[in-house]
Amino acid sequence: MGHQVIIFDFSVIRGLWETRVKKNKERQKKEKERLEKSALEKIKQEWNLILECRKKGIPQSKYLKNGFVDINEKNLDTYGKIPQLKKSRALPDGVNKEQNKFIFRLSGEQWMELPDSLKEQTYLKEWHVYNTLIQTIPAYIALFQDLRVLELSKNQINHLPAEIGCLKNLKVLNVSFNNLKSVPPELGDCENLEKLDLSGNMEITELPFELSNLKQLTFVDVSANKFHSIPICVLRMSNLQWLDISSNNLKDLPEDIDRLDELQTLLLQKNKLTYLPRALVNMPKLSLLVVSGDDLVEIPTAICESTTGLKFVSLKDSPVETIVCEDTEEIIENEREREQVEKEFMKAYIEDLRERESAPSYTTKVMLSLQL
C-alpha cells in the first residue's frame, strides 16, 4: 500500500523554521562582530601577510618593524596591501593541500568579476563561486576542458555563454538563485552532465530542445521559475531520477510523463495544478510525489493505493500563513529569499520523511525536529 502524508499546518511549521533562521542569523552576526573586534582578526591578517611575503620572496625587513608585523608598511605597495591579500586567498595556491589544488573557490560581495589570473589555471576541475556580484561568465571558460563541477549559486549571473557547451567532461552545473532568463542550447553538448540546478532564477520559462541530448542527467531542479509546463527536453532525459519543478506556473502535467520510467522523486508543490494524470501510476520507481493539495480537484485513487510504496505528500497551507511570524519581513527580504528558505525547509522535511523506518497510511500532522 502506498503512504499518504498530508500536512494541514505546513505554514505553521514553516513559521517556526523562519523564526529559527532569524535567531541563527542574529547569532552569526553577533559572533562575526565579536571576532572583528577581537585580536584574532588582526593576527589572522598579519599571518596571511607573512605567508604572502614569504611566497613572493620579500625579506622580513620589509614587513617587520621592531619584531612586529607592520601591515601598513609602504614598501609593500608594489605587492598589494591587505584587501588584495584577502582576495588572493580565494585563488588556488600551489602550496595548498593536494586535494584542493584543482579547486577554485570564490565568495563575497566584493567580487564583481572573476580575477584575471583565473584564465591561466585551465587545469582546474572545480569552480565554486557563490554569494558574489558577478554578472557574467567569460567565454574563456571553454579552455577548462578538465572541469567537472561548476557551482555558481547565489550570484548575479544574467546569462551563460555559448562556450559552456565545450565542457565535455562537466558533470555538475549549479546556477541556482541567479538572474538567468534563458539557457543556451549549447548546454546540450555537455553530454556527461549528471546534475543540473537552475532553481531560483525566477524568470526562466522554457528550456531548449537541445537539452534532450543530456541522457546522463539524473537530477534536474528548475523550481522557483516560470514554467507553464514540463519542458519537452526533460521528458526525454531517460535516466532522470529527481525532478523538482515546484514553485512554477504548471496547470497540468503531460499525459506521457510516465516515459520517465527511472524517476524516483517528483516535486510539484506550489503550482496551479487542478488534477494529476493517471500516467503517474505507471511510473514503477516513483517513490515520492509532493504536491500542493489546495487546487487539486482530481487525484487518481490508484496513487494513494499504489503497491510500490509511493509516498504521496499533499501540502496544505492554512490561512494563518500571513500572520504566523510577525518578524517574517525581517527574515525574508524578497521572494527569492523566501524561496531559498522554503527550499531548505523542504529538503529537511524530505530527509526526515525518508529516515523514518515506516510511515502511517494517513497522517494529519507531521512533527519535525530541526536544529540550525
Side-chain angles (χ1 to χ4, degrees), residues 38-55 60 62-73 76 80-83 85-86 89:
S38 70
L40 292 176
E41 186 65 24
K42 183 178 179 181
I43 294 173
K44 184 178 179 181
Q45 289 184 357
E46 291 177 350
W47 179 246
N48 285 314
L49 177 62
I50 293 174
L51 290 178
E52 186 71 14
C53 290
R54 287 180 178 176
K55 185 176 71 172
Q60 289 187 357
K62 295 294 184 180
Y63 58 85
L64 289 183
K65 187 175 182 180
N66 297 326
F68 295 95
V69 178
D70 187 356
I71 61 176
N72 295 316
E73 180 61 48
L76 292 180
K81 292 185 179 180
I82 294 304
L85 294 178
K86 292 172 72 175
R89 293 201 301 275

Side-chain angles (χ1 to χ4, degrees), residues 104-293:
F104 170 71
R105 300 183 187 277
L106 190 71
S107 64
E109 295 184 353
Q110 72 271 26
W111 291 98
M112 301 186 68
E113 59 183 19
L114 293 168
D116 292 336
S117 59
L118 179 60
K119 66 178 68 174
E120 302 171 2
Q121 304 177 54
T122 56
Y123 56 85
L124 291 170
K125 294 183 179 180
E126 297 185 18
W127 285 17
H128 296 267
V129 180
Y130 62 95
N131 197 31
T132 73
L133 298 180
I134 293 174
Q135 297 184 15
T136 59
I137 301 301
Y140 66 67
I141 194 174
L143 301 175
F144 291 76
Q145 290 298 301
D146 292 328
L147 206 59
R148 302 292 195 276
V149 176
L150 190 54
E151 292 273 356
L152 304 172
S153 62
K154 299 180 183 179
N155 298 292
Q156 300 296 320
I157 299 171
N158 49 44
H159 80 280
L160 293 175
E163 287 77 7
I164 198 170
C166 298
L167 305 178
K168 303 299 183 181
N169 293 309
L170 191 65
K171 293 183 178 296
V172 176
L173 175 60
N174 183 351
V175 205
S176 61
F177 294 95
N178 280 277
N179 296 320
L180 294 178
K181 294 185 178 181
S182 63
V183 177
E186 289 80 5
L187 182 60
D189 295 332
C190 298
E191 53 192 23
N192 288 304
L193 197 63
E194 297 176 359
K195 179 178 179 180
L196 176 62
D197 192 342
L198 300 169
S199 62
N201 281 282
M202 313 303 289
E203 297 293 336
I204 302 177
T205 59
E206 188 54 87
L207 295 179
F209 183 78
E210 287 79 359
L211 268 61
S212 300
N213 298 327
L214 303 178
K215 302 301 184 183
Q216 302 303 316
L217 271 177
T218 60
F219 179 102
V220 171
D221 189 343
V222 290
S223 60
N225 280 289
K226 290 186 178 179
F227 288 93
H228 292 278
S229 61
I230 295 180
I232 296 177
C233 63
V234 172
L235 296 175
R236 285 164 171 74
M237 296 172 181
S238 54
N239 284 311
L240 198 60
Q241 298 176 14
W242 176 294
L243 176 59
D244 187 349
I245 194 167
S246 59
S247 298
N248 277 278
N249 296 322
L250 299 187
K251 294 183 178 180
D252 54 36
L253 298 179
E255 293 296 335
D256 60 343
I257 192 173
D258 55 351
R259 66 188 301 162
L260 296 174
D261 51 11
E262 295 294 322
L263 197 65
Q264 299 174 15
T265 300
L266 179 58
L267 307 183
L268 299 169
Q269 70 272 16
K270 294 185 67 178
N271 277 289
K272 300 178 181 178
L273 297 172
T274 56
Y275 75 96
L276 298 178
R278 185 175 178 80
L280 290 170
V281 181
N282 302 326
M283 302 174 71
K285 295 188 178 180
L286 188 62
S287 59
L288 178 61
L289 173 63
V290 182
V291 299
S292 294

